[in-house]
Amino acid sequence: MAQPDSKKIFFENLSGAGKAIAVLTSGGDAQGMNAAVRAVVRMGLYVGAKVYFIHEGYQGMVDGEENIREATWESVSSMLQVGGTVIGSARCKEFRTHEGRLKAAYNLVQRGITNLCVIGGDGSLTGANLFREEWSGLLGELVDQGLIEADAVQKYSALHIVGMVGSIDNDFCGTDMTIGTDSALHRIIEVVDAIMTTAQSHQRTFVLEVMGRHCGYLALVSALACGADWVLIPEMPPEDGWEEKMCEKLSANRAGMKRLNVIIVAEGAIDRSNKPITTDYVKNLVVKCLGFDTRVTILGHVQRGGTPSAFDRILASRMGVEAVLALLETTANTPACVVSLYGNQSVRLPLMECVQMTQEVQKAMDEKRFEEAVKLRGRSFENNLKTYKLLAHRKPETELPTSNFNVAVLNVGAPAAGMNAAVRSAVRVGISEGHKMFAVSDGFEGFYKGQIKEIKWADVGGWTGQGGSLLGTKRTLPAKHVEKIAEQMRKHNINALLVIGGFEAFESLLQLFEARATYEEFCIPMCMLPATISNNVPATDLSIGADTALNAIVETCDRIKQSASGTKRRVFIIETMGGYCGYLASVGGLAAGADAAYIYEEPFDIRDLQANVEHLTEKMKTSIQRGLVLRNENSNDNYTTDFIYQLYTEEGKGVFDCRKNVLGHMQQGGAPSPFDRNFGTKISAKAMQWISKKLVETFRHDEGRVFANTEDSCCLLGMRRRALVFQPVVQLKEETDFVHRIPKEQWWLKLRPLMKILAKYKTSYDVSDSGQLEHVVCNRPRDLDASVAM
């Protein structure tokens, strides 16, 4: 291995020897907390630190004794898929008093603990910071009382705090997503999808109450993800007279042949006078004004329960590891920090800056400065609200701009969950921009055959939650049919093209760009949105559909592992899809707690396989009962899934037996996850706004036509680290391995050592991306809004 330069620090340079780290969960529980606890414990042990559980939150810290126990590697086994928090959480009045914090300090010093990892909400983190500020004074008092020796003050002089936000409400400023939010959205969307079928049967209106006493994130995003007719949130109360407008909207939707209505209400919803808006009030209003059969469903604590989603497991695992790294690097002068998510990156922010910003939101709401409250929530929240308004509320025809542009939208390649949400968003945003929208069936095959028709606002109603591709999609590339496609573009006067798909869509845009030299019909703005479960498109960290596939893999792995519960020791070999791209195997392995994941991008040989078998054999001789090994379908021509299964079966004789499972197309099916619905919806809206801008820029008034032949008029919209970027497809050729249909550089490869560390392998971990302490920025620049994903 090459010597690391100053910008690239490797894990070996960081040591936790002689340090003691304690982890606790406090306040309300959230799915994914266990994944965070597991990551902190295993990373802490890996660097040589002692790690302690503090059971029952701050109450356990105050009570001490058996509530503070040393953790082992095995003590966090089989907890990744468990909801809630297995170490318990409690709200503690005693810790709010000076006497309570004095007891807590004594209990920590007794065990030599000076590093604290707190997983909770803003109240829990504020308490931790106060404890840190009082620490030296508390130790002085303990010396005066004769409870500790005087040299302990010097030995344990500073308390280091790192926080992770565990809250389903996503109400903490400074992070795009908090641990538990995505899982709560899964629970909500599962209920909404189920309710929609019964509502449609009986032509009913349903009023759903979701959690969010002070934050409307869950209500807003679930409304966006299911296409709700109306949403009520505390940050942006409806204008006076909203009751009449809502009833008009519900009535208009019914008149447009819609058989159901869904209204989502945050539990903290208020009107402009700060008066609560309850679900019963909304129900009675609909019944009185419209006479619709209306029912109320209050989701309550269902939203907190259940298994954590793949997103929450990965987020919590990454944050847990980052928290330990932050504790290793901290000094006496380092302020308490919180590990946050910004775009697709872990960052560290000063804890109290985030807390103060969060409190500013509530203050703005109390003072009826609602526009400011929305801005203070961050760009992600603001974008969610704008997108919802754009897609849910159609302007009257008289208010729409008249652009006289025709825009075609089509799906290319294999189906991916979330494609339909992207098409719905494109159609509605396009109509709002004044364009005439055309839908192309069956990709470019349908294009050259003339399967093109105008698509209206109401035609895409209810598409958000549908899996697959309702337009139809084929892998056919346009090169062989460019003449016929150009003819169809002339016939329908297509002025811009939005292509939603995977690697075939990328190749298609390259072919159409090259065809501009021969056919002027392709000299129009063209944009591609990445949509593939394989996540193998260049120039984007994430693709529409990949999150749904990851959840399918993780849910199946959970069930498969559970099938071995109570039996003899067993190892499961699971084959995932992805072509030559190992994203699903690697990130799915991290989320499912796999022991190994074999992929094409990281070549392996028989010695590696043998080492993995020996490693598993050693673990199985202790208390580990089940092993999980993932293999990407094209990882190696010779070391097939059958070969690996037979090898493990033979070499594991007498220690464990083996089973194999090929997951196949179940990874491609099913309803899209909340993440994919929102990612598809919002990047599609952004793409349509880009197309509108390009149409105006490239319209030649003297000729009465659009003419765009520059590289930057044929782009892929992708998410790169912290930024959403429109990138000319022709400039991406150098970044792409066309033989294996993968990007030459892939960000998620940096997560593979993390999976190995958590599976007890010795490895190098590149921490060059590790967060330096940054500062909270209220409104990030628009071009850096990677938080569009959620």
Side-chain angles (χ1 to χ4, degrees):
M1 184 180 69
Q3 287 299 311
D5 60 31
S6 59
K7 292 182 181 176
K8 202 164 207 180
I9 312 160
F10 281 86
F11 172 79
E12 293 96 325
N13 299 343
L14 301 169
S15 172
K19 293 193 176 185
I21 299 170
V23 57
L24 72 145
T25 53
S26 177
D29 67 310
Q31 308 97 318
M33 279 184 166
N34 289 324
V37 170
R38 172 180 176 268
V40 170
V41 169
R42 291 195 167 176
M43 190 64 170
L45 293 172
Y46 199 84
V47 297
K50 272 190 175 184
V51 186
Y52 291 85
F53 293 130
I54 300 179
H55 291 264
E56 314 308 333
Y58 286 118
Q59 191 64 57
M61 197 192 293
V62 171
D63 294 340
E65 297 180 353
E66 285 301 301
N67 289 300
I68 305 177
R69 298 180 210 159
E70 192 169 347
T72 64
W73 194 275
E74 288 73 26
S75 60
V76 291
S77 297
S78 302
M79 68 189 288
L80 189 61
Q81 69 273 21
V82 179
T85 164
V86 297
I87 60 173
S89 181
R91 302 187 193 279
C92 178
K93 289 182 180 177
E94 199 174 351
F95 190 75
R96 294 177 187 174
T97 67
H98 185 79
E99 292 74 18
R101 293 191 291 276
L102 191 65
K103 288 181 185 177
Y106 173 73
N107 290 325
L108 295 186
V109 169
Q110 287 292 96
R111 294 162 179 83
I113 298 169
T114 56
N115 298 280
L116 213 52
C117 185
V118 181
I119 308 166
D122 62 330
S124 304
L125 299 178
T126 304
N129 190 64
L130 175 63
F131 190 40
R132 173 184 166 276
E133 288 172 349
E134 292 181 347
W135 181 256
S136 57
L138 294 170
L139 296 196
E141 287 183 50
L142 291 172
V143 170
D144 293 342
Q145 293 175 20
L147 294 172
I148 62 172
E149 298 296 328
D151 62 351
V153 176
Q154 185 63 35
K155 190 176 180 182
Y156 307 118
S157 58
L159 178 67
H160 307 295
I161 303 283
V162 173
M164 286 183 274
V165 190
S167 165
I168 68 165
D169 293 336
N170 203 28
D171 57 353
F172 193 81
C173 293
T175 185
D176 290 341
M177 286 287 276
T178 57
I179 296 168
T181 304
D182 186 64
S183 300
L185 285 169
H186 273 258
R187 299 298 93 79
I188 294 167
I189 294 305
E190 285 161 13
V191 171
V192 173
D193 285 352
I195 277 175
M196 278 183 163
T197 56
T198 182
Q200 191 145 356
S201 301
H202 298 277
Q203 297 192 60
R204 283 184 175 140
T205 295
F206 271 86
V207 184
L208 278 82
E209 181 185 287
V210 301
M211 283 186 166
R213 229 173 347 182
H214 305 293
C215 179
Y217 184 88
L218 289 179
L220 180 57
V221 175
S222 54
L224 202 54
C226 71
D229 297 275
W230 204 266
V231 65
L232 295 158
I233 58 173
E235 290 89 348
M236 184 52 72
E239 299 288 345
D240 293 338
W242 65 272
E243 294 94 337
E244 188 180 339
K245 288 179 184 174
M246 183 185 77
C247 290
E248 282 175 6
K249 168 106 188 295
L250 300 180
S251 183
N253 284 350
R254 285 292 177 95
M257 304 305 291
K258 189 175 179 183
R259 291 178 59 87
L260 74 153
N261 301 111
V262 173
I263 302 163
I264 297 183
V265 183
E267 63 177 327
I270 52 173
D271 63 16
R272 291 270 155 176
S273 304
N274 279 349
K275 180 184 171 186
I277 300 174
T278 65
T279 48
D280 284 333
Y281 176 76
V282 176
K283 175 197 169 182
N284 294 335
L285 182 69
V286 174
V287 171
K288 181 183 174 184
C289 296
L290 300 173
F292 290 172
D293 183 3
T294 306
R295 306 296 167 94
V296 169
T297 298
I298 297 174
L299 271 65
H301 283 75
V302 164
Q303 296 157 88
R304 282 195 190 279
T307 302
S309 65
F311 183 97
D312 272 329
R313 298 185 197 195
I314 296 158
L315 173 67
S317 297
R318 289 177 70 184
M319 282 187 169
V321 168
E322 184 69 28
V324 173
L325 294 175
L327 286 171
L328 292 182
E329 294 167 13
T330 194
T331 66
N333 300 320
T334 308
C337 76
V338 63
V339 179
S340 299
L341 180 74
Y342 181 3
N344 193 32
Q345 256 195 307
S346 294
V347 296
R348 302 174 197 170
L349 298 171
L351 190 153
M352 289 315 294
E353 282 187 25
C354 296
V355 169
Q356 283 156 13
M357 183 79 77
T358 304
Q359 291 168 350
E360 280 295 317
V361 178
Q362 189 58 49
K363 186 180 176 185
M365 286 159 59
D366 292 340
E367 294 173 1
K368 301 183 183 178
R369 292 180 282 116
F370 299 115
E371 297 283 349
E372 190 178 337
V374 169
K375 280 183 163 49
L376 286 167
R377 277 275 179 238
R379 183 67 70 190
S380 172
F381 191 92
E382 194 177 4
N383 271 345
N384 283 323
L385 189 57
K386 284 178 182 174
T387 308
Y388 175 76
K389 286 178 178 177
L390 196 61
L391 300 178
H393 304 295
R394 186 182 183 183
K395 292 177 183 176
E397 296 287 340
T398 52
E399 292 181 25
L400 289 174
T402 50
S403 69
N404 297 318
F405 292 124
N406 295 345
V407 181
V409 59
L410 68 157
N411 295 153
V412 177
M419 274 182 164
N420 297 321
V423 171
R424 169 184 175 267
S425 178
V427 168
R428 292 195 169 180
V429 172
I431 291 170
S432 296
E433 299 269 325
H435 309 319
K436 190 180 279 189
M437 298 299 297
F438 287 84
V440 182
S441 300
D442 297 334
F444 283 106
E445 188 173 311
F447 211 135
Y448 83 80
K449 290 178 180 177
Q451 293 169 212
I452 305 165
K453 63 177 183 179
E454 188 179 353
I455 187 165
K456 303 278 192 180
W457 184 281
D459 295 337
V460 290
W463 280 34
T464 313
Q466 300 288 318
S469 168
L470 293 173
L471 286 183
T473 182
K474 294 283 177 71
R475 295 181 184 271
T476 308
L477 298 178
K480 292 180 181 178
H481 312 284
V482 282
E483 189 175 342
K484 289 182 179 178
I485 293 169
E487 184 184 323
Q488 291 296 332
M489 291 184 78
R490 276 196 307 274
K491 181 180 175 182
H492 294 92
N493 190 28
I494 300 300
N495 307 121
L497 207 56
L498 180 65
V499 182
I500 303 166
F503 202 87
E504 290 89 354
F506 172 61
E507 290 180 301
S508 297
L509 246 63
L510 281 171
Q511 291 177 4
L512 294 181
F513 180 82
E514 287 166 10
R516 282 176 168 179
T518 313
Y519 299 94
E520 285 196 352
E521 287 81 2
F522 301 119
C523 293
I524 59 172
M526 293 185 280
C527 186
M528 177 206 157
L529 300 181
T532 166
I533 68 165
S534 303
N535 199 29
N536 64 329
V537 177
T540 185
D541 290 353
L542 298 172
S543 303
I544 299 164
D547 183 71
T548 304
L550 277 178
N551 277 287
I553 291 166
V554 168
E555 286 167 20
T556 308
C557 288
D558 287 350
R559 292 184 182 187
I560 286 171
K561 285 199 293 185
Q562 195 177 40
S563 72
S565 181
T567 66
K568 59 184 178 180
R569 296 183 178 96
R570 183 165 288 168
V571 173
F572 295 95
I573 314 295
I574 311 289
E575 181 182 294
T576 66
M577 293 175 82
Y580 285 94
C581 181
Y583 175 81
L584 291 179
S586 297
V587 182
L590 177 60
D595 295 277
Y598 300 117
I599 61 169
Y600 167 78
E601 292 91 341
E602 198 172 280
F604 57 97
D605 57 25
I606 195 69
R607 290 180 293 275
D608 297 311
L609 293 171
Q610 185 62 36
N612 292 150
V613 173
E614 289 170 1
H615 182 80
L616 260 173
T617 303
E618 201 58 41
K619 284 171 74 176
M620 288 286 183
K621 287 176 181 175
T622 59
S623 60
I624 305 296
Q625 296 292 316
R626 289 158 286 178
L628 184 67
V629 174
L630 272 63
R631 177 188 176 275
N632 168 248
E633 58 184 347
N634 289 344
S635 56
N636 190 291
D637 290 338
N638 298 310
Y639 299 133
T640 63
T641 302
D642 281 333
F643 178 91
I644 292 171
Y645 162 70
Q646 289 165 2
L647 177 72
Y648 273 71
T649 300
E650 180 62 31
E651 297 298 319
K653 271 183 182 175
V655 181
F656 58 80
D657 66 2
C658 222
R659 296 288 185 273
K660 66 174 178 176
N661 195 300
V662 178
L663 300 185
H665 282 77
M666 64 164 291
Q667 297 159 85
Q668 217 163 41
S673 67
F675 185 99
D676 279 329
R677 296 183 195 200
N678 290 321
F679 189 43
T681 296
K682 290 161 72 177
I683 65 166
S684 186
K686 193 174 181 73
M688 281 307 303
Q689 287 163 345
W690 177 86
I691 284 173
S692 296
K693 183 184 170 190
K694 286 291 178 186
L695 284 168
V696 172
E697 287 175 1
T698 58
F699 184 71
R700 293 183 171 180
H701 291 275
D702 53 335
E703 299 175 25
R705 66 169 180 145
V706 171
F707 186 83
N709 67 346
T710 56
E711 289 183 358
D712 68 351
S713 62
C714 182
C715 285
L716 180 153
L717 174 56
M719 189 175 107
R720 283 194 152 176
R721 292 164 66 93
R722 301 187 182 191
L724 269 177
V725 190
F726 288 96
Q727 298 147 103
V729 291
V730 73
Q731 294 176 14
L732 301 177
K733 283 184 177 181
E734 294 300 314
E735 298 180 22
T736 309
D737 174 354
F738 285 94
V739 175
H740 299 101
R741 297 158 56 88
I742 55 174
K744 289 179 181 175
E745 287 190 16
Q746 303 185 83
W747 70 273
W748 51 264
L749 287 169
K750 289 187 177 182
L751 297 182
R752 283 184 60 80
L754 196 154
M755 181 190 75
K756 292 175 184 177
I757 286 167
L758 298 179
K760 215 174 184 178
Y761 283 92
K762 291 290 180 187
T763 187
S764 293
Y765 183 48
D766 176 6
V767 294
S768 57
D769 274 349
S770 240
Q772 296 301 310
L773 198 62
E774 301 183 16
H775 291 281
V776 182
V777 180
C778 174
N779 275 336
R780 294 162 185 150
R782 287 183 183 274
D783 61 334
L784 294 184
D785 181 28
S787 59
V788 70
M790 287 301 287

